[in-house]
Structures are given as C-alpha cells and as structure tokens.
Amino acid sequence: MPFVRLWRALLLSIVAVALGVSGAFAQGIGNTGNPLIEQQRGIIQAYSARADELEKQIAAHAEHDGQLVEVRLKLEALARELLASAVAFRPRLAEINARLDQLGPAPPEGQQELDIVAAERAGLIAEKGEINAVLGLAESLSIRVNGMIEKIGTMRSELFRNVLTKRYSLTDAFDSELLKDVSEEYWSFYRAVSSWLRFVVQYKFQSVLAATFFALVAAAVLLVGGRRVFGRLFVTDPPAEDLSYLSRLSVAFWSTLLPTMAVAVFLLATLFFFNYFNVLRGDIGIYLTSLFGVIGIVFCVNRLANAALAPKLPNWRLIAIDSRTAWQLIAIVTAMAVVIGFNSFLAVVNNTMGSPLSLTIARSFLAATIVGVLLILIGLLRDEHGQWRPWRAWLRYTAIGLGVFIILTALLGYIGLATFVSMQVVVTGTVLITAYIGFLSARAIGAEGGFAETSIGRWLAAKSTTDATTLDQIGLIVSLLINLMVLLLFLPLILFMWGFQPGDIQAWAYKLGAGFSIGTFRFSPTGILTGIVVFVIGYFVTRWFQAWLDGSVMARGRLDTGVRNSIRTVVGYAGLALATLIAISSAGIDLSSFALVAGGLSLGIGFGLQNVVSNFVSGLILLAERPFKAGDWIVAGNVSGTVKKISVRATEIETFQRQSVILPNSELINSAVGNWTHRNKLGRVDVKVGVAYGTDVKRVHALLLDIAKNHPLVLKNPEPFVLFANFGPTALEFEVRVFLADVLNGGTVQNDIRFSILETFEGEGIEIPSAPRAEFPKQQDRWPTDDERDEAGLIEERAQEAAAMAERKAARRRGGRPRKPDPG
C-alpha cells in the first residue's frame, strides 16, 4: 500500500507540473507580441516615410531629368528592401503552417478538445493574422512605390518630348537686350573663374601641379603601354603600298581608340586629383567637368577624321578621295565638333549661372545653324579637279538634307529639336563610325586566314611553331573580344547621347543581374556568366592537376604508362563533373528543376541512346579492370595494333600501318581480345625455314640454333629452340622459336634471323628449295616421301601380277605352257 500511495503521489505531481507548464505556454501563445512582427512593422513605417519624402522630390524636380533618374534609383532600392522585409517572415510562416498541420483543424461543435491544443492553435492563428497584416502593409507600400517609378518614366518621356517639340519665338530672343545679357554673363563668368584662379595660385598651386603630374603619369602609362602592346596594330608604314583593307581598318580603329582613351584618362584623373586636393569649388567643378568633356569629344572627332582620311598617307586612307578633299573634310568635321562642344559648355554655364532664356535660345540657334551650314558644305564638296565627290549620291543628299532640316527647324523656332539633331550628327555619328570600324576590323580578323595577315599573327608565326589552324582559332577569340569591347564601350555612349542617364544603365544592369523567369526556371545573365567563368576555371585547374599528378607524382612512382593513363582519365572526368556541378550551382540554377529533363533523358536512353550508355559503362569497366592499357599490343577481331587512348566511349588503336582505328568499348567488352603485353612484354616469335631433301638435317639444326643464340635480343632463359617441324611437299621444314624481353621488337628480330639464315646457308651450301610455280607445275623437282615409295612399289607389283596372268591366259589359248617371266 505505501508503494501504491507513492506512485499515486508521483503521478499527481507530474500532472500538476504539466498543467502548470501548459498553462504558461498557452498564456505565452495568447500574447502574440512577436518581436519580429514589431520590428518589421517599424521598418515598414520607416519605408513609408521615405516613400513620402521621395514623392515630394518627384514634384520638386519635375523639370529635371537627371534628378528624376536619381529619385527612381532610390525608389527601386526601396522596393528591393520591401521585398527583403517580406521575405523575413517566410521561415516563421513555414513553422506556423507546419505546426497547424500537425494540430489539425478545430473539432466540430459538440466534441471536446484539450485546452492546451486549442490555446496553441488560437495563438498560432492570431500570430499568422498579424504577420499577414504586416505583409499587407508591405504589399500596399510596394504597389505605391512601383506606381511612383512608372510615374517617373512617364514624366521623363514627356520632358524629352517637350524638349523636341517646344517652339520658341526668335524675335523675343534676338531683342535689344541680348547683347546686354551676353555682356553681363561674360563678366560674371570671368569674375568667377578669375577669383578661383587667384585662389589656386595663392593657396593650391602645388596641389594643382601634383594633380596634373599624376594625371599625366596615368595617361602616359596607358599610351606607352598601349603602344608597346598594340603598337603593331596602329603604327603606319608610310612607304607601304600593297596594304590590305584589314591593315587600314586596324590602324584607323586603334589609332583612334588608344589616344582618345589616354586623353580621357588624363582628363578624368585631373578631375579626380583636383577634387582629392580640394582644388575645385562647386561652380568651377561643374565648368571644368563640362570643359573636359568638350575637349575629349573634339579630340576624338579630330582623331577619327585623321585616322580614316589619312591626308598625309593616301595608301592608308579608308575612303578613295584626294588629299585636298581629305583636308577639307577634316577641317569641317572638326569645326562641327568644336561648335557642338562649345555650345554644350555654354549651356552648362548658363544653367549654373541662371542665364535668361533669350540667351539660351540665341546660343542654341546660332550653334544649330552653323552645324547645318557645315553639313551642306560637306555635301557640296568637290575634288581637286572640280568634280563631285565619288561617294554615293544618297550620302551626299543625306548630308545636304540634314543641314537644310537643322536650319529650317531652327528658323521655325524648334531650337531643342535642331540642337538635338546637330548633337546626334556630330557625336553619335563619330561614335557609330568608330564602332563600325571596330566591328569591321573584328570581322576581318576573325575571317579565315585574317589573323595570320596581321602584324601580331606574323610575329607569332615567326617566333613560335603556331600553325595556321591555331592562328585562325586565336583570330576567332580576338575577334570576339574586340566585338565585346566595342559593344561595352560604345553602347553606353550612344545611350547617353539619346538622353539616357547613368542611372538608367545602372537600373538595367541590376535587372539584368537579378535575372528573368521562363516558366519555373529562373535565369540570371550574371549568374550564367559566373557559372561559365567557374567552369572554365575548374576546367583549367583539372587539366593542371592532371599534368601535375602525371608528371610529378606518378612519374616519380615509376608507375606503368597504362596505369598513369587510367588514373589521369578518371581524374579528368571526375574534375570536369565536379566543375560542372559547381558551375551550375554558381549560376543559381536549381538542380531539382532538371528532374523533367532527366526523365526525358532516361526515356531517350531506353530508346535511342542505349548504345552510347553501353559504350560509356564499358569504358568505365575497362578503366577499372584494365584488361589492357595504353601502350599494349592487342588483337581485337581483324584489328591488331597498339592502344593509344582509352576514353569512356571508345578506344583508339593504332595499327602497324599507322592507321588509327576507333573501336567502341562495348565491342572490346563483349568480344575476345588478345593482349600480347598484358602482364609483361615477354613473348615468343617464330621463324620458319625449309631446306632441300638430302640435306644433313642435324647440321641444319645446329646452324639454326647457333644463329638464334647469337642474336643480342634473344633471351638465354627461356633458351631458343629449333623444331624439325615436318616433311613438306617440297622441303624439310624447320621452325626457330626464340623468346624476347619485349615482344614489340619481334619484327626486328625475325628480320635479323632471316638475314642470318640466308648468309649462313649460302656459306654452307645448303639449298632452300623454291615453292612450285603454278605456270610450270611439271617442272617441279622434289623427293618422294616414304608413303609415296611404298605406294609406287605396290602399284608396280600389281602391274607385274596382271601381266603374268595375261600371259597364262594367252598360253592356254595357244595350248602350251606359259613362259617364265623375264627377270629383267
């Protein structure tokens, strides 16, 4: 009884503790003060405040395209942060849903349920409701942010349309106050620049010198390094006459690109170091940035014109014109660039200083009109003989038409449109022409034999053993790299010229990196590129590891060549498989998404790829069991030769006629294969020879055995053996059997032994009978065999008996006694 009371007390204690814990748990569940919910609710409220501020900025900068782009970038970043905030609830929601599935639905009315289960279910449902409420707030804010992004896009389109279609009154611009406004703007600009120059001379002169020096060093490094690396591509040879179009294209492209890049590096480095040394103030920094941009554009245009037209080197000219016309074109094109650049610089000055609208209209009108006149002059150019230029008529008429269009639009008051067209003709035209020359150069280099005609190709061919095929492959890679470089370098420039902002490209780059979805598959170009880079790195690491393992580890271990080949092959396939898996993972591709593909592949294997799989499995068996290895002499059916390579699909065998035979691995597994060098290269070779009947066979045996023993490659143990093989129809047949340490030397040994036999038999007077000839079968001389002698004697005896019997019969017919046969 005491024992029963003890157990009863213990059970009551356990129940009391359980009820206390469950009550506390239920109380905690009922209070859904989840810190994650409170934290995310506060974050979303902060995001909402940021969205309100950005909406005010949209209204404040409605007329400024660049400011709108910056606001859009902030809104897109806010949208990504909202998405991350929503994702933060995903693990907790998964836990809640899993627990609710375990608890099951609430029982129908009339059925009882434990209080702890009901309390836990109610708490989880309440927490899930709060999370959904917070997610609803995030979704509403996300919709609002996306709407603001779309609004900015609409506003920017409208701004661009207004710039091109807005009409201004020229009479209001060219009024009596114009000269006064110009004078005031000039002196204001002069005072700003002069005050900054005095400040620089007094306080920042050493900093300016240091910044300029560092910028010159950066530009010099690029220019000198580029000339050392690419100098063969753009250094002209004045005496050269027979020049390929590829050479002229290459010189035009690289002699434009590299110096322009050097100037750009100098200008950008100057700005960077000026800012680093605090040389620039706000307005001067804006002016200097614009001025440097103008200098870069004018230099690029002038450099391209000189490279393409080559006024001093007619042989390097891309366009078939005379030198006088080339100089005129260069002057006109450079003048257009200067006018456009100067107009752009003055536009920045006017915007910074808040110049009157009339001054802006007059400036843009004059610049557009000058560019239009210069375009008309290009179309009206004649050569030195007074003839029209030999270019196509549509090109001449296009230049004249563009010039007339710019002038007319400016006269009608569409200053924005005229300025935009002028800018595109000069700047975008320069960029497109340079890019086009680059694409033509890349295409010429990638053509068959094109890279071999370049200076670098000729240098590689002269300094190395590179063949034509390898040069073509290098040319294809170089062509691809040039195309990619031209695309990445010039496409953003063209986009900038057409009104896009750096923020636009940044947003596109983010969207491109984020990827896109096709069904259930999600692809990211950045991820795919990363996967390709990872695979290439894994491929080269695998090849390096194979070479190191074979040349350093296995070579020192004195492993057999076949073993080394098998290990190297297995390591190679394992490395490539591992690199492929890592690359796919790096690309962000879910391997589970390939389940359908794997099912289809297995179905294809069952129908059409079973032979491929059979050969693959057979290759793995050959590499594992190694019935033969690389370097072995095998016989497979009608094929006999040396194994050169064992892959997972087929085995390469080189016959003794130097013919490469590719045998599927399944045939080598399912058929009999003879291996002369399976365990070692020890083997026996035979040499057959016949001597004439009547020859001393023991003497022949001794001579043959002596010849075999005296050969240096014949082993002493097992010792050579000479077999008296047969009494042939024309000769006594012998067989010399010798053993060699390397059976692959059998052909050489057989050849030497045959020569020795001929020399020895000739010296000993031993005759080797010739084989019977089909055209003279009766002239064959040979010794009869014993069987033939017995058969001939029997025939003779039977003939004699037949003759005696015939004689007796004849005597009986005569009635007398028969005569005795003649003993002769």
Side-chain angles (χ1 to χ4, degrees), residues 560-729:
D560 185 77
T561 305
V563 176
R564 291 166 59 180
N565 179 72
S566 299
I567 295 176
R568 186 172 60 248
T569 303
V570 171
V571 169
Y573 283 114
L576 288 179
L578 182 62
T580 302
L581 292 176
I582 296 176
I584 292 176
S585 177
S586 300
I589 300 175
D590 188 4
L591 294 178
S592 62
S593 302
F594 289 93
L596 184 60
V597 178
L601 183 62
S602 62
L603 184 62
I605 291 173
F607 285 101
L609 301 179
Q610 52 185 346
N611 290 333
V612 176
V613 175
S614 176
N615 290 325
F616 180 80
V617 175
S618 299
L620 296 179
I621 294 174
L622 291 176
L623 292 174
E625 294 186 353
R626 298 180 59 248
F628 54 82
K629 56 189 179 298
D632 281 359
W633 174 15
I634 67 171
V635 179
N638 297 326
V639 180
S640 176
T642 305
V643 178
K644 304 302 290 184
K645 181 182 179 181
I646 304 174
S647 62
V648 293
R649 191 196 67 82
T651 296
E652 179 184 352
I653 300 174
E654 186 180 87
T655 66
F656 299 107
Q657 292 80 23
R658 298 298 180 182
Q659 179 190 24
S660 294
V661 180
I662 309 300
L663 283 180
N665 290 328
S666 58
E667 294 186 9
L668 298 174
I669 289 293
N670 299 326
S671 303
V673 178
N675 191 346
W676 284 88
T677 56
H678 182 44
R679 292 180 178 85
N680 52 57
K681 294 185 177 181
L682 178 66
R684 192 191 80 184
V685 295
D686 302 335
V687 179
K688 296 181 180 180
V689 64
V691 298
Y693 276 91
T695 306
D696 186 356
V697 294
K698 293 187 177 296
R699 178 61 178 163
V700 172
H701 183 275
L703 291 173
L704 293 176
L705 189 60
D706 185 61
I707 291 172
K709 290 182 177 180
N710 290 332
H711 196 283
L713 296 181
V714 174
L715 296 177
K716 306 302 180 183
N717 184 23
E719 63 181 7
F721 178 72
V722 177
L723 175 67
F724 189 178
N726 189 25
F727 293 97

Side-chain angles (χ1 to χ4, degrees), residues 214-216 218-220 222-223 256-273 289 292-300 489 493:
F214 290 138
L216 284 173
L222 176 62
L223 187 60
T256 300
L257 182 63
L258 286 179
T260 302
M261 291 180 64
V263 171
V265 168
F266 168 74
L267 298 175
L268 292 175
T270 301
L271 286 176
F272 171 79
F273 287 115
T289 302
F292 282 1
V294 171
I295 294 174
I297 291 174
V298 173
F299 180 84
C300 179
L489 184 62
L493 295 177

